[in-house]
Amino acid sequence: ETGVTQSPTHLIKTRGQQVTLRCSSQSGHNTVSWYQQALGQGPQFIFQYYREEENGRGNFPPRFSGLQFPNYSSELNVNALELDDSALYLCASSLAGTSSTDTQYFGPGTRLTVL
Amino acid sequence: QQQVKQSPQSLIVQKGGISIINCAYENTAFDYFPWYQQFPGKGPALLIAIRPDVSEKKEGRFTISFNKSAKQFSLHIMDSQPGDSATYFCAARGAGNMLTFGGGTRLMVKP
């Protein structure tokens, strides 16, 4: 069974730039959720994708956007980067439509630093 | 608005002792309560989870106690080991399978 993978591991950008983060879901999973984890805090829900459609969104501005592909992998795009966007970005996959929906499995994250 | 409050922020326990972490929530629509363990540089890993119709769940050294009327739940780690030293997060699932996390507890188990 292949776990959740994310790329890149680390990324450094400057204010105003745009960034794309990538996630491959665990084998057999069809739902991907993205979270932002600031240093020393718990993860904050950004949004979730199911069947290539956004299926729920947290309190994040529209400059945070995403995609899900037919193979269930996903991208998180952030435009007009701000210093406060510096965080660990986590992707979690799960299987919707069964009792296993309960469990979200997290990837190792992408550490984004905005200078 | 922080919907899940976690305490303490940090905890030091001797090897073999019991670690207890508490969480309280506000939203009665939450329907699933997982605990995650996170090591530095890693993503959160699911430890144990409970539904609100159950008052206690035990898996190995880890036990969740759940008090629905008080809207509180806690994680007990029995026979704590140095390898348990990590940050622990409680979470609650709401609409759209969205997890709301507590602020985390940094646990250190001294040998």
Side-chain angles (χ1 to χ4, degrees):
Chain A
E1 186 177 80
T2 305
V4 179
T5 60
Q6 293 185 243
S7 63
T9 305
H10 297 89
L11 202 52
I12 299 175
K13 292 286 188 178
T14 57
R15 276 186 304 173
Q17 284 189 313
Q18 178 266 342
V19 68
T20 297
L21 311 181
R22 294 178 175 82
C23 170
S24 292
S25 60
Q26 182 166 314
S27 177
H29 286 181
N30 56 15
T31 302
V32 173
S33 303
W34 286 92
Y35 292 80
Q36 180 195 66
Q37 186 177 22
L39 198 61
Q41 297 183 22
Q44 299 286 318
F45 176 76
I46 302 174
F47 45 54
Q48 181 182 91
Y49 276 83
Y50 172 63
R51 291 184 175 178
E52 303 177 51
E53 296 286 334
E54 188 177 290
N55 186 40
R57 189 178 185 94
N59 189 26
F60 281 82
R63 60 189 184 86
F64 285 78
S65 63
L67 285 172
Q68 186 181 33
F69 300 99
N71 67 354
Y72 306 123
S73 66
S74 177
E75 287 182 354
L76 164 65
N77 299 288
V78 187
N79 294 319
L81 284 168
E82 301 176 0
L83 295 179
D84 285 349
D85 295 334
S86 295
L88 181 68
Y89 287 85
L90 296 163
C91 166
S93 75
S94 56
L95 179 61
T98 71
S99 61
S100 299
T101 301
D102 294 341
T103 304
Q104 294 188 25
Y105 295 90
F106 284 82
T110 293
R111 172 70 62 187
L112 173 64
T113 301
V114 182
L115 302 177
Chain B
Q1 180 186 11
Q2 183 184 8
Q3 295 188 10
V4 179
K5 295 183 179 180
Q6 183 172 345
S7 63
Q9 286 187 308
S10 62
L11 182 61
I12 300 175
V13 174
Q14 293 294 325
K15 179 182 175 181
I18 302 173
S19 303
I20 302 174
I21 304 170
N22 301 298
C23 284
Y25 63 96
E26 300 167 5
N27 186 348
T28 55
F30 288 147
D31 65 355
Y32 172 72
F33 300 85
W35 284 87
Y36 285 85
Q37 177 190 57
Q38 186 175 30
F39 293 103
K42 303 291 186 182
L46 180 68
L47 260 183
I48 186 172
I50 198 167
R51 294 181 180 276
D53 54 349
V54 176
S55 61
E56 185 175 281
K57 183 175 182 180
K58 182 177 181 179
E59 290 184 358
R61 296 186 294 111
F62 301 93
T63 300
I64 300 178
S65 297
F66 191 88
N67 185 330
K68 187 175 180 178
S69 61
K71 293 186 285 186
Q72 295 175 347
F73 58 111
S74 61
L75 175 69
H76 291 64
I77 306 174
M78 311 299 289
D79 187 26
S80 298
Q81 299 297 312
D84 296 331
S85 296
T87 299
Y88 292 81
F89 293 97
C90 62
R93 185 182 69 177
N97 202 27
M98 177 183 88
L99 290 178
T100 299
F101 284 81
T105 296
R106 184 174 293 184
L107 171 66
M108 179 184 296
V109 181
K110 289 191 168 182

